Amino acid sequence: MAACVAKNPLFPFWIAAFMVAVAIFGASIPPLRYLRIAVPALGFLCTSALSLAVSINFHDGAPSLSFDGNQSVIIQVCGRSLAGLTSLLFLALTTPLTQIIAMLRLFKIPDILLDIMVVCYRTLFVFSETVHETVTAQSARLGYATLPGSIRSLGALAANLTVDVWQRSCALNIAAISRNSNGSFRFMEQSFSNRTREVSLSLTIGVCMIIIAMVVS
Amino acid sequence: MTQSTSDSILALNSVSYSYPDGTPGLVNCSLAIKRGSRTALLGANGAGKTTLFQHLNGILKPQKGTVYFEGNPIDYGRQGLYYLRSRVGIVFQNPDSQLFSASVSEDISFGPINLGLDADTVRVRVETALESVAMSEYADKPVHHLSYGQKKRVCIAGVLAMRPGVLILDEPMTGLDYQMQQELMNVLEKLHNDGMTIIIATHDIDFACQWSDILSILEGGSCAGSFSIDEILHNFDLLASYRLGVPAVAKLYRSLIDTAILKEATSRPRNTDELIVQIKSTAIEHGKSGFNR
């Protein structure tokens, strides 16, 4: 929010640096691990920044590159994205998703969105476990020893996963029905012992950042 | 033909069911489950155990025949199924097919919330269910961080939190190590002592004979027979006729009788502990009468 409010195009970069510092020094996330997780997203960000800054022109059939556009706006957009990215990484690296979902439930986010989040989060691990088991079984029988074999194995893996996911979704549906499900996934609200203190603290920090962003601008 | 009687909590009367692809699930199956009993359902893979369980919980509806609950035919209307599923809980074989919530306590709360209970009651039920399967310390853990045995216990807790009168477990011992099996046996023993009717599908004849009161055999989708454990445990001909194999305790007991080490007792041992008691008491008798060991 502070990054969006700030008119100074460089301010979002300071927010991003602050969030990285909090994650590494405050939450003790190892810098290399942080970098490894951030690299794919940073790659997307760089590609987007380049596509904003650089244009490809064709003159007499020959392509040429030109740097155009409002550089200040481009820097601001990239800064905001970077600030958003680092904030999101801070949240993902410090808070279990189960607690995020529970918190969202407290904030009365629509059930349908939370149901999707819950099922995706749970099935993600079941899915990755199935992939791992299938790949191990295929590798044990030299499934990936040659290029044609690898392509064949990959195809078999995709086919197997399709059927497996379908069967698992049927089984989950039956299990839910057997426990009197009426279609929506309703769960107990989690209790947070220091909820008031933590919500007040995060609101204070957030508001402070927004005020600083406006003042600096 | 099995009729629903006053002491049977669940009964199937000539039930038949075929899956949409034509595979027969149940074929003229009749069976009665006695209230408060421990019933072991034995059958080969594909014999129809899971199909039978899904009929008992109202997930599947028989194409022929009738399923009775508490003496009355099951009402497949909304209210009837709601009542049936709140009274009959199923723990499926594969825990990953049953657990869909992000955390352990959330998953266990799913059933009680569907029963329309208030938040405080749900919380108490979740805590009690977790205690009963010794998983309290894992309440806030994500499900994917649990071992197979722990997931299985969470599945059981998820059903126990609904406080059903009948608990159905599909192959509960599969994938559990010895320690976990013993712990699960203790949980089941406690539930049985509290008056719960328990039905277990298993391949393990030793476990079935040790744990259950009644042994029902499923063959090709129909109930081939139901026997009390005393009736079948030491009856080798009967066991052979159903190709069940011979329980280790029965085999050992017969050998000890045949070699005159033990005398035929009026009460035959159900498990190795009971057999050891008989061997010890015989040894003491032999010691008194000057038997040279």
Side-chain angles (χ1 to χ4, degrees), chain A residues 103 192-203:
Chain A
M103 206 54 157
F192 298 96
S193 50
N194 297 320
R195 194 169 83 186
T196 316
R197 197 192 72 180
E198 284 167 4
V199 169
S200 315
L201 188 68
S202 21
L203 278 177

Side-chain angles (χ1 to χ4, degrees), chain A residues 96-99 101-102 105 118-119 121-123 125-126 129 167-168 171-182 184-191, chain B residues 54 57 59 81-82 85-86 90 92 94 96-103 105-111 113-115 122-123 126 142-144 151 158 162:
Chain A
L97 196 69
T98 50
Q99 288 187 13
I101 294 171
R105 213 179 286 285
V118 165
V119 172
Y121 180 61
R122 173 77 190 109
T123 47
F125 292 96
V126 175
E129 207 173 283
Q167 285 175 338
R168 276 178 196 274
L172 278 176
N173 187 39
I174 288 174
I177 290 170
S178 79
R179 288 203 274 166
N180 256 334
S181 167
N182 60 359
S184 84
F185 291 148
R186 289 174 301 155
F187 302 105
M188 180 174 71
E189 288 182 357
Q190 274 193 23
S191 57
Chain B
Q54 292 187 7
N57 185 262
I59 293 168
L81 286 177
Y82 176 85
R85 288 169 186 162
S86 65
I90 299 187
F92 292 90
N94 183 0
D96 279 326
S97 302
Q98 184 166 345
L99 302 170
F100 43 77
S101 180
S103 83
S105 56
E106 273 196 358
D107 197 278
I108 296 171
S109 71
F110 181 71
I113 283 182
N114 288 335
L115 291 180
V122 170
R123 203 169 294 281
V126 169
V143 168
H144 60 271
K151 282 181 192 168
M162 295 176 79

Side-chain angles (χ1 to χ4, degrees), chain B residues 148-183:
Chain B
Y148 187 85
Q150 288 167 338
K151 282 181 192 168
K152 207 135 196 173
R153 281 195 272 172
V154 173
C155 289
I156 294 171
V159 174
L160 291 183
M162 295 176 79
R163 307 244 168 109
V166 182
L167 178 64
I168 299 173
L169 299 109
D170 198 351
E171 303 280 357
M173 298 299 179
T174 309
L176 298 188
D177 61 29
Y178 176 76
Q179 181 67 27
M180 283 182 184
Q181 286 188 8
Q182 293 306 306
E183 284 170 9

Side-chain angles (χ1 to χ4, degrees), chain A residues 13-37:
Chain A
F13 289 96
W14 287 108
I15 293 176
F18 174 70
M19 292 314 296
V20 172
V22 170
I24 290 174
F25 301 109
S28 305
I29 308 292
L32 277 178
R33 183 183 296 173
Y34 188 91
L35 195 65
R36 204 174 63 217
I37 294 165

Side-chain angles (χ1 to χ4, degrees), chain A residues 89-202:
Chain A
L89 279 178
F90 175 73
L91 182 70
L93 291 168
T94 56
T95 317
L97 196 69
T98 50
Q99 288 187 13
I100 296 174
I101 294 171
M103 206 54 157
L104 292 174
R105 213 179 286 285
L106 285 178
F107 292 153
K108 306 295 174 201
I109 300 294
D111 279 349
I112 184 74
L113 292 177
L114 296 176
D115 289 353
I116 292 169
M117 274 182 84
V118 165
V119 172
C120 284
Y121 180 61
R122 173 77 190 109
T123 47
L124 188 69
F125 292 96
V126 175
F127 189 75
S128 84
E129 207 173 283
T130 312
V131 170
H132 179 72
E133 283 168 6
T134 312
V135 169
T136 307
Q138 287 176 327
S139 305
R141 286 182 287 160
L142 301 174
Y144 294 94
T146 60
L147 185 63
S150 299
I151 293 167
R152 207 168 34 245
S153 296
L154 205 61
L157 173 68
N160 179 46
L161 280 177
T162 309
V163 176
D164 195 77
V165 166
W166 177 69
Q167 285 175 338
R168 276 178 196 274
S169 66
C170 289
L172 278 176
N173 187 39
I174 288 174
I177 290 170
S178 79
R179 288 203 274 166
N180 256 334
S181 167
N182 60 359
S184 84
F185 291 148
R186 289 174 301 155
F187 302 105
M188 180 174 71
E189 288 182 357
Q190 274 193 23
S191 57
F192 298 96
S193 50
N194 297 320
R195 194 169 83 186
T196 316
R197 197 192 72 180
E198 284 167 4
V199 169
S200 315
L201 188 68
S202 21

Side-chain angles (χ1 to χ4, degrees), chain B residues 210-249:
Chain B
Q210 188 183 340
W211 173 81
S212 61
D213 306 318
I214 296 160
L215 206 147
S216 295
I217 300 149
L218 221 60
E219 274 183 351
S222 60
C223 184
S226 279
F227 306 94
S228 73
I229 289 299
D230 295 334
E231 214 177 336
I232 195 169
L233 177 58
H234 294 277
N235 191 334
F236 285 23
D237 294 335
L238 198 55
L239 287 164
S241 68
Y242 288 109
R243 299 176 295 282
L244 294 174
V246 179
V249 68

